[in-house]
Amino acid sequence: MRQAGALLLLGLLGAAPAARAQDPAGDPRAGRRLAGGTCAACHGNDGIAVQPDAPSLAGQNRSYLAAQLRAYRDGTRRHEQMSVVAETLDEAQIRDLAAWYNSIEVEATVPGR
């Protein structure tokens, strides 16, 4: 009985990465780790751009971000740095990055109100 339980647990643990890869929403924590090493130099640690020619990504729509990263990856959208970076991203990484930037809450103040 104990062996069957251990085998079941191992089976579930083994299935977790496959189930994770199918998560259409992505994992913001994994995206944060990836962004810190890959994206922060231009887009900032918190998604607020530090380079004048880079957009801020904090609070951006998840579907939009994922679509743009896919476009850079497959060459339908070109940018000197982004095309090179996106070529290395797999689908799960794209979803994770999109989830991370989407999870950052941004507050805007409209002048004169």
Side-chain angles (χ1 to χ4, degrees):
M1 188 65 140
R2 191 174 279 165
Q3 286 179 332
L7 289 175
L8 178 62
L9 179 60
L10 286 174
L12 290 174
L13 291 175
R20 161 66 192 90
Q22 299 300 320
D23 181 2
D27 178 359
R29 288 178 291 173
R32 181 179 188 176
R33 287 188 300 275
L34 181 59
T38 305
C39 313
C42 296
H43 299 287
N45 285 325
D46 56 3
I48 305 299
V50 295
Q51 298 294 324
D53 62 341
S56 292
L57 301 177
Q60 186 62 261
N61 179 280
R62 180 186 331 212
S63 297
Y64 174 79
L65 279 175
Q68 297 315 305
L69 286 170
R70 288 183 195 107
Y72 284 124
R73 183 182 63 189
D74 70 22
T76 57
R77 184 172 181 183
R78 302 284 310 156
H79 182 272
E80 189 175 351
Q81 288 93 8
M82 284 303 306
S83 296
V84 172
V85 170
E87 285 176 353
T88 67
L89 299 174
D90 63 31
E91 191 59 30
Q93 291 172 315
I94 286 175
R95 288 191 306 265
D96 293 345
L97 285 168
W100 161 240
Y101 287 117
N102 179 253
S103 72
I104 301 169
E105 293 185 26
V106 178
E107 188 174 309
T109 303
V110 179
R113 291 194 180 180

